[in-house]
Amino acid sequence: MPASLPASVLDLAPVLPVVVLDDAADAVPLARALVGGGLPAIEVTLRTPAALDGIRAMAAEVPDAVVGAGTVVTPAQVTRCADAGARFLVSPGWTDTLLSAMAASGLPYLPGVSTASEVVALLERGVREMKFFPAQAAGGTAYLKSLAGPLPGARFCPTGGIGPGTAPDYLALPNVGCVGGSWMVPADALADRDWARIERLAREAARLSAGGTCR
């Protein structure tokens, strides 16, 4: 049986791995390493031709993984990702057309925002969980902290330029549910198929919490 979703994707783990797959054959062992390290939610970005096959393989063969699709930017991609078995959707930004398609899919989704106006527009539409992207370039923890007071209804998964050294600062914010990052899937480890190293890095990421202490 596939892993069940909680009320929010943001509550699955403190870190959401952001994965770029060049070879779909790596999908299953990579997902097993991440899940084994305590990171069940996995965002596979649609940046390579292998992405959809990777999502399909993870969804079919790693039942404890909650596999989502990232870099979703068109309604057609929404359909293809849902058909491949994606359990949630993540976009770097949004339009009304894309938002409607994601909502119609029935899957949880995190539309990307980087300004207060975009957050307000989503709140008007009943969307309360969002991706803050690109997090570091768009203002980092200082910007998100400034949004917490006037926009307490919004909750974020900041992604972009975040590593193990900065993740605890984001996790300390009241409007952050989790952070997205790729540091637990370094390119050289993936190229070497060093699943043990990836599992170790995932385990370290899964223990991150506000202030850098282990949960």
Side-chain angles (χ1 to χ4, degrees):
M1 291 289 292
S4 59
L5 281 172
S8 167
V9 174
L10 274 60
D11 294 329
L12 282 165
V15 179
L16 173 63
V18 179
V19 172
V20 179
L21 276 176
D22 290 312
D23 188 344
D26 294 334
V28 169
L30 174 59
R32 287 174 176 158
L34 292 171
V35 171
L39 300 180
I42 304 169
E43 175 189 337
V44 179
T45 68
L46 301 184
R47 300 181 188 180
T48 66
L52 283 173
D53 285 340
I55 291 170
R56 190 174 291 109
M58 289 181 181
E61 299 186 44
V62 190
D64 290 333
V66 180
V67 185
T71 324
V72 177
V73 295
T74 70
Q77 288 177 332
V78 170
T79 300
R80 289 196 290 269
C81 291
D83 290 345
R87 305 279 300 283
F88 62 93
L89 306 168
V90 184
S91 69
W94 63 277
T95 65
D96 285 330
T97 300
L98 179 60
L99 199 68
S100 295
M102 291 193 293
S105 74
L107 299 173
Y109 58 95
L110 298 173
V113 298
S114 60
T115 69
S117 294
E118 291 169 321
V119 175
V120 171
L122 286 178
L123 290 173
E124 283 185 351
R125 292 162 173 78
V127 178
R128 300 192 174 279
E129 297 189 341
M130 312 164 195
K131 171 179 178 173
F132 179 60
F133 177 83
Q136 288 289 90
T141 55
Y143 191 88
L144 282 175
K145 184 176 181 179
S146 71
L147 294 181
L151 299 171
R155 195 161 174 246
F156 301 96
C157 173
T159 305
I162 299 174
T166 55
D169 295 332
Y170 283 94
L171 293 169
L173 299 176
N175 54 352
V176 169
C178 68
V179 300
S182 57
W183 72 86
M184 73 296 301
V185 191
D188 60 336
L190 191 54
D192 293 341
R193 294 178 167 83
D194 190 346
W195 311 125
R197 179 184 172 197
I198 290 172
E199 182 171 344
R200 175 177 59 79
L201 291 171
R203 186 171 295 109
E204 292 171 359
R207 295 170 64 194
L208 287 175
S209 63
T213 57
C214 295
R215 288 184 172 184

